[in-house]
Amino acid sequence: IDAALIEDIGFCDLTSELVIPREATAELALNARHEMVIAGIDIAGQVFRRRVPDCRFEKRVDDGARVAAGTRLAVVTGHAQGLLTAERTALNLLQHLSGIATLTRRFVDAVRGTGAAILDTRKTTPAWRRVEKYAVRCGGGVNHRGDLASAVLIKDNHLAAVDGDVAIAIRRVREYADSTIAIQVECDSPAQVHVAVAERADSVLLDNMSLVMLRECVGIAKGKCVTEASGGVRLDTVRAIAETGVDRISVGALTHSAPALNLALDFE
């Protein structure tokens, strides 16, 4: 929040300071312009309090709520100059995070009843990962690893560095890592899944596979390790992917391609 405010304000808010009387107060309503899932309402309140510590921020909805167009999300009252100085930063955060939550909910709704969970990835805006992954949870999604230290994910480039030998890669992790560290292996063929399962990987990442191949790999891994589909997942394809029986589906678009939603702060 502090970095975002510094970026937006610069030396000062010339317009607010020159136009609005110093002693003026204002009541501003935060309104949704169309249907959305909310994420970041309390963060928006914190933005206003950074500039106007004694302002009153009354939220009307909680994060995770699905709201209709025209819904009043919050009312903020306090020093007019300070509130308007914080307006853009508060809206930027709330629009972006609500966009992520809304897109996530659409994917979650699309696979409802299949048993598959929707996961995010590490394809996040630099320095925004914590709040973007929070927004995914607000939309009903599940967080994948938060950083490189959270789990082992042996991907294609790691395998290339050991001549494509899945067994060797897993054994090296087993030899040196704590036994509580989860091991996931990215596989692009049923043969690799067979090896990963034989070496007791905790999960396999089935990357860019056809539906036929996904079903085959789920059959190989069923009851032995968790299966996760990834690569090119879209709203129009995610249901069919879920119906192959995979446990999880990771979607990079949740954080790297979610559109910012239309919100407004209206002067009351």
Side-chain angles (χ1 to χ4, degrees):
I1 291 171
D2 290 337
L5 284 169
I6 290 170
E7 175 184 64
D8 194 46
I9 297 169
F11 178 73
C12 67
D13 178 2
L14 279 172
T15 310
S16 294
E17 293 185 19
L18 293 174
V19 173
I20 303 172
R22 184 177 297 275
E23 67 278 4
T25 60
E27 181 177 281
L28 304 168
L30 186 59
N31 297 314
R33 289 291 189 248
H34 50 73
E35 182 180 340
M36 62 183 69
V37 176
I38 300 301
I41 191 70
D42 292 309
I43 297 174
Q46 291 183 45
V47 174
F48 288 115
R49 292 190 186 99
R50 283 291 206 281
R51 297 298 297 173
V52 187
D54 61 349
C55 75
R56 187 169 71 253
F57 185 83
E58 301 174 5
K59 65 177 182 177
R60 304 289 174 85
V61 300
D62 291 316
D63 283 345
R66 193 196 301 259
V67 303
T71 300
R72 179 157 296 184
L73 308 178
V75 175
V76 58
T77 307
H79 184 250
Q81 285 186 3
L83 292 182
L84 291 179
T85 297
E87 173 186 12
R88 185 71 266 155
T89 298
L91 288 175
N92 283 350
L93 282 159
L94 189 56
Q95 289 174 322
H96 178 58
L97 298 182
S98 294
I100 291 172
T102 302
L103 182 59
T104 301
R105 184 69 60 84
R106 293 180 70 189
F107 274 94
V108 170
D109 288 346
V111 302
R112 196 170 303 283
T114 65
I118 297 296
L119 275 67
D120 56 22
T121 69
R122 286 172 37 249
K123 296 174 183 178
T124 54
T125 307
W128 279 58
R129 181 172 296 166
R130 183 177 178 185
V131 290
E132 289 181 340
K133 282 182 171 284
Y134 167 71
V136 168
R137 298 198 303 275
C138 289
V142 177
N143 293 151
H144 210 294
R145 57 179 181 164
D147 52 45
L148 292 172
S150 299
V152 170
L153 173 46
I154 303 169
K155 302 193 75 173
D156 53 354
N157 283 335
H158 300 108
L159 291 173
V162 291
D163 298 323
D165 195 323
V166 173
I168 286 294
I170 295 174
R171 289 171 190 171
R172 286 183 175 177
V173 175
R174 295 282 186 213
E175 182 178 359
Y176 296 110
D178 188 283
S179 60
T180 61
I181 297 294
I183 300 176
Q184 184 175 42
V185 183
E186 180 180 313
C187 300
D188 58 18
S189 70
Q192 288 186 324
V193 174
H194 273 296
V195 177
V197 168
E199 293 294 331
R200 297 177 295 109
D202 296 287
S203 63
V204 286
L205 184 65
L206 309 174
D207 188 47
N208 284 297
M209 289 187 178
S210 67
L211 296 179
V212 171
M213 190 178 291
L214 279 174
R215 290 191 187 92
E216 181 180 353
C217 290
V218 168
I220 295 168
K222 192 172 181 63
K224 300 169 185 174
C225 70
V226 173
T227 55
E228 178 181 334
S230 71
V233 181
R234 306 187 309 272
L235 274 169
D236 62 342
T237 62
V238 69
R239 179 81 189 186
I241 292 171
E243 289 174 345
T244 65
V246 292
D247 300 302
R248 312 189 303 190
I249 303 172
S250 53
V251 187
L254 300 183
T255 49
H256 71 57
S257 295
L261 299 184
N262 192 3
L263 298 162
L265 193 66
D266 298 316
F267 206 101
E268 296 287 284

Tab-separated table of all heavy atoms in Angstrom, residues 10 18 25 38 66 81 100 107 109 114 128-129 134 159 172 183 188 192 205 209 212-213 218 220 232 253-254:
chain	number	residue	atom	x	y	z
A	10	GLY	N	3.352	10.934	-5.830
A	10	GLY	CA	4.534	11.735	-6.139
A	10	GLY	C	4.802	12.741	-5.021
A	10	GLY	O	4.697	12.413	-3.838
A	18	LEU	N	-5.162	22.119	-4.410
A	18	LEU	CA	-5.449	23.442	-4.960
A	18	LEU	C	-6.945	23.718	-5.088
A	18	LEU	O	-7.384	24.872	-5.009
A	18	LEU	CB	-4.788	23.593	-6.328
A	18	LEU	CG	-3.255	23.606	-6.327
A	18	LEU	CD1	-2.734	23.601	-7.756
A	18	LEU	CD2	-2.718	24.812	-5.561
A	25	THR	N	-14.753	18.146	4.453
A	25	THR	CA	-14.916	16.705	4.644
A	25	THR	C	-15.824	16.166	3.538
A	25	THR	O	-16.531	16.922	2.866
A	25	THR	CB	-15.535	16.383	6.015
A	25	THR	OG1	-16.812	17.009	6.110
A	25	THR	CG2	-14.635	16.863	7.142
A	38	ILE	N	-16.138	-10.044	-4.769
A	38	ILE	CA	-15.311	-9.032	-4.117
A	38	ILE	C	-14.060	-9.644	-3.477
A	38	ILE	O	-14.124	-10.689	-2.818
A	38	ILE	CB	-16.116	-8.280	-3.048
A	38	ILE	CG1	-17.321	-7.588	-3.680
A	38	ILE	CG2	-15.246	-7.263	-2.311
A	38	ILE	CD1	-16.971	-6.602	-4.764
A	66	ARG	N	-20.486	-12.461	-3.780
A	66	ARG	CA	-20.859	-12.186	-5.163
A	66	ARG	C	-21.918	-11.091	-5.131
A	66	ARG	O	-22.945	-11.243	-4.460
A	66	ARG	CB	-21.411	-13.432	-5.843
A	66	ARG	CG	-21.535	-13.296	-7.375
A	66	ARG	CD	-22.441	-14.375	-7.958
A	66	ARG	NE	-21.984	-15.711	-7.678
A	66	ARG	CZ	-21.324	-16.486	-8.552
A	66	ARG	NH1	-21.025	-16.036	-9.744
A	66	ARG	NH2	-20.969	-17.702	-8.219
A	81	GLN	N	-9.621	16.076	1.027
A	81	GLN	CA	-8.371	16.046	0.261
A	81	GLN	C	-7.699	14.690	0.384
A	81	GLN	O	-7.278	14.084	-0.613
A	81	GLN	CB	-7.419	17.138	0.766
A	81	GLN	CG	-7.773	18.546	0.357
A	81	GLN	CD	-6.683	19.532	0.790
A	81	GLN	OE1	-5.648	19.142	1.351
A	81	GLN	NE2	-6.917	20.811	0.539
A	100	ILE	N	-9.596	-10.935	-10.201
A	100	ILE	CA	-9.045	-12.277	-9.989
A	100	ILE	C	-10.083	-13.173	-9.312
A	100	ILE	O	-10.301	-14.318	-9.724
A	100	ILE	CB	-7.757	-12.204	-9.150
A	100	ILE	CG1	-6.635	-11.548	-9.953
A	100	ILE	CG2	-7.333	-13.590	-8.673
A	100	ILE	CD1	-5.383	-11.256	-9.149
A	107	PHE	N	-14.313	-20.217	-13.019
A	107	PHE	CA	-13.695	-21.532	-13.219
A	107	PHE	C	-14.213	-22.537	-12.194
A	107	PHE	O	-14.491	-23.695	-12.531
A	107	PHE	CB	-12.173	-21.421	-13.129
A	107	PHE	CG	-11.507	-21.055	-14.423
A	107	PHE	CD1	-11.215	-19.735	-14.721
A	107	PHE	CD2	-11.152	-22.024	-15.345
A	107	PHE	CE1	-10.600	-19.385	-15.917
A	107	PHE	CE2	-10.536	-21.694	-16.543
A	107	PHE	CZ	-10.257	-20.368	-16.832
A	109	ASP	N	-17.103	-22.527	-10.656
A	109	ASP	CA	-18.474	-22.877	-11.021
A	109	ASP	C	-18.502	-23.850	-12.205
A	109	ASP	O	-19.355	-24.744	-12.274
A	109	ASP	CB	-19.261	-21.613	-11.385
A	109	ASP	CG	-19.594	-20.757	-10.170
A	109	ASP	OD1	-19.457	-21.249	-9.035
A	109	ASP	OD2	-19.974	-19.583	-10.362
A	114	THR	N	-17.596	-32.064	-10.091
A	114	THR	CA	-16.639	-33.039	-10.623
A	114	THR	C	-15.644	-33.517	-9.568
A	114	THR	O	-14.985	-34.543	-9.756
A	114	THR	CB	-15.824	-32.436	-11.783
A	114	THR	OG1	-15.007	-31.355	-11.282
A	114	THR	CG2	-16.751	-31.912	-12.875
A	128	TRP	N	3.177	-8.715	-5.847
A	128	TRP	CA	1.747	-8.758	-5.537
A	128	TRP	C	1.258	-10.166	-5.217
A	128	TRP	O	0.069	-10.378	-5.027
A	128	TRP	CB	0.944	-8.241	-6.740
A	128	TRP	CG	0.864	-6.755	-6.832
A	128	TRP	CD1	1.901	-5.876	-6.907
A	128	TRP	CD2	-0.325	-5.957	-6.882
A	128	TRP	NE1	1.430	-4.591	-7.007
A	128	TRP	CE2	0.067	-4.612	-6.999
A	128	TRP	CE3	-1.690	-6.270	-6.865
A	128	TRP	CZ2	-0.856	-3.571	-7.071
A	128	TRP	CZ3	-2.605	-5.233	-6.946
A	128	TRP	CH2	-2.184	-3.906	-7.034
A	129	ARG	N	2.148	-11.154	-5.167
A	129	ARG	CA	1.705	-12.548	-5.071
A	129	ARG	C	0.817	-12.809	-3.868
A	129	ARG	O	-0.206	-13.494	-3.959
A	129	ARG	CB	2.912	-13.492	-5.052
A	129	ARG	CG	2.488	-14.967	-4.979
A	129	ARG	CD	3.665	-15.876	-5.167
A	129	ARG	NE	4.221	-15.700	-6.517
A	129	ARG	CZ	5.414	-16.157	-6.888
A	129	ARG	NH1	6.180	-16.791	-6.020
A	129	ARG	NH2	5.841	-15.967	-8.114
A	134	TYR	N	-4.473	-14.418	-2.341
A	134	TYR	CA	-5.606	-14.218	-1.436
A	134	TYR	C	-6.887	-14.042	-2.243
A	134	TYR	O	-7.944	-14.605	-1.908
A	134	TYR	CB	-5.361	-12.992	-0.553
A	134	TYR	CG	-6.587	-12.518	0.183
A	134	TYR	CD1	-7.117	-13.245	1.245
A	134	TYR	CD2	-7.239	-11.346	-0.203
A	134	TYR	CE1	-8.258	-12.817	1.908
A	134	TYR	CE2	-8.376	-10.909	0.447
A	134	TYR	CZ	-8.884	-11.646	1.506
A	134	TYR	OH	-10.011	-11.223	2.154
A	159	LEU	N	14.256	-31.668	-15.577
A	159	LEU	CA	14.491	-33.004	-16.131
A	159	LEU	C	15.519	-32.969	-17.261
A	159	LEU	O	16.356	-33.866	-17.387
A	159	LEU	CB	13.176	-33.605	-16.624
A	159	LEU	CG	12.173	-33.983	-15.533
A	159	LEU	CD1	10.848	-34.414	-16.154
A	159	LEU	CD2	12.738	-35.083	-14.641
A	172	ARG	N	17.179	-37.934	-6.088
A	172	ARG	CA	18.048	-36.881	-5.555
A	172	ARG	C	17.315	-36.037	-4.517
A	172	ARG	O	17.872	-35.659	-3.485
A	172	ARG	CB	18.568	-36.009	-6.687
A	172	ARG	CG	19.641	-36.678	-7.520
A	172	ARG	CD	20.201	-35.773	-8.595
A	172	ARG	NE	21.309	-36.406	-9.282
A	172	ARG	CZ	21.954	-35.877	-10.309
A	172	ARG	NH1	21.589	-34.689	-10.778
A	172	ARG	NH2	22.964	-36.521	-10.879
A	183	ILE	N	6.746	-33.677	-3.247
A	183	ILE	CA	7.417	-33.757	-4.547
A	183	ILE	C	6.371	-33.900	-5.646
A	183	ILE	O	5.570	-34.832	-5.651
A	183	ILE	CB	8.373	-34.959	-4.615
A	183	ILE	CG1	9.455	-34.862	-3.529
A	183	ILE	CG2	9.019	-35.047	-6.002
A	183	ILE	CD1	10.368	-36.074	-3.479
A	188	ASP	N	4.863	-35.365	-19.343
A	188	ASP	CA	4.221	-35.120	-20.632
A	188	ASP	C	3.888	-36.406	-21.366
A	188	ASP	O	3.535	-36.388	-22.544
A	188	ASP	CB	5.078	-34.203	-21.509
A	188	ASP	CG	6.471	-34.745	-21.767
A	188	ASP	OD1	6.682	-35.964	-21.570
A	188	ASP	OD2	7.347	-33.961	-22.177
A	192	GLN	N	6.259	-41.349	-18.324
A	192	GLN	CA	6.816	-40.579	-17.210
A	192	GLN	C	5.953	-40.709	-15.959
A	192	GLN	O	6.469	-40.747	-14.840
A	192	GLN	CB	6.964	-39.106	-17.605
A	192	GLN	CG	8.088	-38.839	-18.594
A	192	GLN	CD	8.282	-37.348	-18.844
A	192	GLN	OE1	7.328	-36.575	-18.873
A	192	GLN	NE2	9.526	-36.946	-19.032
A	205	LEU	N	2.099	-33.551	-12.420
A	205	LEU	CA	1.546	-32.429	-13.167
A	205	LEU	C	1.446	-32.848	-14.625
A	205	LEU	O	2.460	-33.041	-15.295
A	205	LEU	CB	2.451	-31.205	-13.009
A	205	LEU	CG	1.980	-29.897	-13.639
A	205	LEU	CD1	0.718	-29.397	-12.963
A	205	LEU	CD2	3.079	-28.837	-13.531
A	209	MET	N	-1.820	-32.104	-22.005
A	209	MET	CA	-2.200	-33.416	-22.521
A	209	MET	C	-3.597	-33.370	-23.133
A	209	MET	O	-4.451	-32.585	-22.724
A	209	MET	CB	-2.184	-34.459	-21.399
A	209	MET	CG	-0.808	-34.823	-20.896
A	209	MET	SD	-0.894	-36.196	-19.722
A	209	MET	CE	0.858	-36.434	-19.377
A	212	VAL	N	-7.799	-37.739	-23.878
A	212	VAL	CA	-7.554	-39.190	-23.890
A	212	VAL	C	-6.335	-39.533	-23.042
A	212	VAL	O	-6.353	-40.460	-22.225
A	212	VAL	CB	-7.366	-39.693	-25.337
A	212	VAL	CG1	-6.907	-41.143	-25.339
A	212	VAL	CG2	-8.661	-39.536	-26.122
A	213	MET	N	-5.259	-38.760	-23.218
A	213	MET	CA	-4.041	-39.032	-22.456
A	213	MET	C	-4.235	-38.713	-20.973
A	213	MET	O	-3.709	-39.426	-20.102
A	213	MET	CB	-2.864	-38.234	-23.029
A	213	MET	CG	-1.515	-38.663	-22.442
A	213	MET	SD	-0.110	-37.769	-23.149
A	213	MET	CE	-0.120	-38.434	-24.816
A	218	VAL	N	-4.543	-40.521	-15.400
A	218	VAL	CA	-5.318	-40.597	-14.165
A	218	VAL	C	-5.483	-42.048	-13.751
A	218	VAL	O	-5.373	-42.397	-12.561
A	218	VAL	CB	-6.696	-39.912	-14.342
A	218	VAL	CG1	-7.616	-40.243	-13.161
A	218	VAL	CG2	-6.526	-38.396	-14.465
A	220	ILE	N	-3.418	-44.477	-14.322
A	220	ILE	CA	-2.124	-44.960	-13.820
A	220	ILE	C	-1.886	-44.495	-12.385
A	220	ILE	O	-1.408	-45.249	-11.530
A	220	ILE	CB	-0.975	-44.449	-14.725
A	220	ILE	CG1	-1.098	-45.042	-16.125
A	220	ILE	CG2	0.385	-44.775	-14.114
A	220	ILE	CD1	-0.195	-44.364	-17.152
A	232	GLY	N	-2.828	-24.322	-20.966
A	232	GLY	CA	-3.858	-23.914	-21.910
A	232	GLY	C	-5.280	-24.127	-21.443
A	232	GLY	O	-6.196	-24.293	-22.258
A	253	ALA	N	-4.061	-18.179	-15.891
A	253	ALA	CA	-4.847	-16.999	-16.260
A	253	ALA	C	-5.511	-16.344	-15.067
A	253	ALA	O	-5.836	-15.147	-15.114
A	253	ALA	CB	-5.901	-17.374	-17.299
A	254	LEU	N	-5.740	-17.087	-13.989
A	254	LEU	CA	-6.402	-16.497	-12.825
A	254	LEU	C	-5.694	-15.235	-12.364
A	254	LEU	O	-6.344	-14.257	-11.977
A	254	LEU	CB	-6.444	-17.501	-11.660
A	254	LEU	CG	-7.174	-18.824	-11.881
A	254	LEU	CD1	-7.162	-19.629	-10.600
A	254	LEU	CD2	-8.594	-18.605	-12.379
